[in-house]
Amino acid sequence: KAGVTQTPRYLIKTRGQQVTLSCSPISGHRSVSWYQQTPGQGLQFLFEYFSETQRNKGNFPGRFSGRQFSNSRSEMNVSTLELGDSALYLCASSQTRGVNEQFFGPGTRLTVL
Amino acid sequence: KQEVTQIPAALSVPEGENLVLNCSFTDSAIYNLQWFRQDPGKGLTSLLLIQSSQREQTSGRLNASLDKSSGRSTLYIAASQPGDSATYLCAVNRGSGGGADGLTFGKGTHLIIQP
């Protein structure tokens, strides 16, 4: 069974631009969560989607948004990029919400210049 | 607010040694605890998941324990190998009203196994 896939793997953007990242969960998994990883803050929860609805959101500004499609694939969007948005963005999928094991993708490395 | 602490932050040991990584969390109301490893520049690989009702889980040379009441978990690695070199992360799932509230991660233990 294929694992979680994320595209693109690397992105370079300039301040003020916007970016869209994509995540395809493991087949049969319906919950997708997004995390930001930086050297200073570590891994932080962004949001979770289940059945095309955002179920939970971490403490991030409204510039960070996402959506989930009927096939469970998810995208996250960051608008008006700031230098501090440079990070590894990780997507995780699980079979359903709550207590299931979460499986992570390889991440998208975003650099904002 | 849930906080997760991992000790030590870094560890370097010779090949073949048994070792213990520690994880502590402040809020004992968790659904589960998951241990991951992360290789440089890569995503996270799930190692073990312990449900809140369980005391330990084993997979090969890895054994993870959970003491929910004291807010502690340990990851025991037996007969360490150079390939075990990575950053090990502990994460708790607090849950919220029956749903998921996102994982709260520790900062990790950077492990180096010397050949």
Side-chain angles (χ1 to χ4, degrees), chain A residues 11-12 22 25 30 50 55-56 65 77 80 85 99 103-104 108:
Chain A
L11 267 177
I12 299 176
S22 181
R30 298 170 60 198
F50 180 80
R55 302 292 177 158
N56 279 297
S65 64
N77 183 277
T80 318
D85 297 333
V99 301
F103 297 89
F104 281 77
T108 294

Side-chain angles (χ1 to χ4, degrees), chain A residues 9-10 35 37 39-45 48 55-56 88 90 97-107 109, chain B residues 31-32 34 36 38 41-49 51 89 93 96 98-103 105-107:
Chain A
R9 294 292 312 280
Y10 302 92
Y35 294 82
Q37 186 176 30
Q41 298 297 317
L43 275 149
Q44 294 182 286
F45 171 71
E48 180 211 4
R55 302 292 177 158
N56 279 297
L88 181 66
L90 292 161
R97 303 192 64 209
V99 301
N100 298 109
E101 187 173 6
Q102 295 206 26
F103 297 89
F104 281 77
R109 172 73 63 185
Chain B
Y31 272 155
N32 58 43
Q34 201 165 347
F36 298 89
Q38 185 175 33
K42 302 289 180 66
L44 277 61
T45 299
S46 178
L47 297 173
L48 290 164
L49 171 73
Q51 303 290 358
L89 293 152
N93 184 343
S96 176
D101 205 28
L103 295 175
F105 283 86
K107 293 293 179 69

Side-chain angles (χ1 to χ4, degrees), chain A residues 47-66:
Chain A
F47 29 63
E48 180 211 4
Y49 284 87
F50 180 80
S51 293
E52 302 177 61
T53 302
Q54 186 181 93
R55 302 292 177 158
N56 279 297
K57 184 174 168 59
N59 190 25
F60 279 83
R63 300 185 296 107
F64 291 81
S65 64

Side-chain angles (χ1 to χ4, degrees), chain B residues 36-83:
Chain B
F36 298 89
R37 69 173 277 169
Q38 185 175 33
D39 294 284
K42 302 289 180 66
L44 277 61
T45 299
S46 178
L47 297 173
L48 290 164
L49 171 73
I50 310 178
Q51 303 290 358
S52 60
S53 58
Q54 297 175 318
R55 296 285 292 183
E56 65 179 292
Q57 282 286 344
T58 298
S59 176
R61 295 182 294 108
L62 304 179
N63 176 277
S65 68
L66 174 64
D67 184 342
K68 202 174 78 158
S69 61
S70 68
R72 294 181 182 182
S73 176
T74 61
L75 179 67
Y76 175 83
I77 303 177
S80 58
Q81 303 171 357

Side-chain angles (χ1 to χ4, degrees), chain A residues 23-97:
Chain A
C23 171
S24 292
I26 292 172
S27 178
H29 285 195
R30 298 170 60 198
S31 173
V32 173
S33 298
W34 289 88
Y35 294 82
Q36 181 196 64
Q37 186 176 30
T38 59
Q41 298 297 317
L43 275 149
Q44 294 182 286
F45 171 71
L46 280 158
F47 29 63
E48 180 211 4
Y49 284 87
F50 180 80
S51 293
E52 302 177 61
T53 302
Q54 186 181 93
R55 302 292 177 158
N56 279 297
K57 184 174 168 59
N59 190 25
F60 279 83
R63 300 185 296 107
F64 291 81
S65 64
R67 58 178 177 170
Q68 186 180 35
F69 301 95
S70 58
N71 61 357
S72 295
R73 190 178 69 87
S74 176
E75 290 180 346
M76 69 163 281
N77 183 277
V78 188
S79 62
T80 318
L81 284 166
E82 301 176 359
L83 295 179
D85 297 333
S86 294
L88 181 66
Y89 289 88
L90 292 161
C91 165
S93 78
S94 61
Q95 285 186 319
T96 184
R97 303 192 64 209

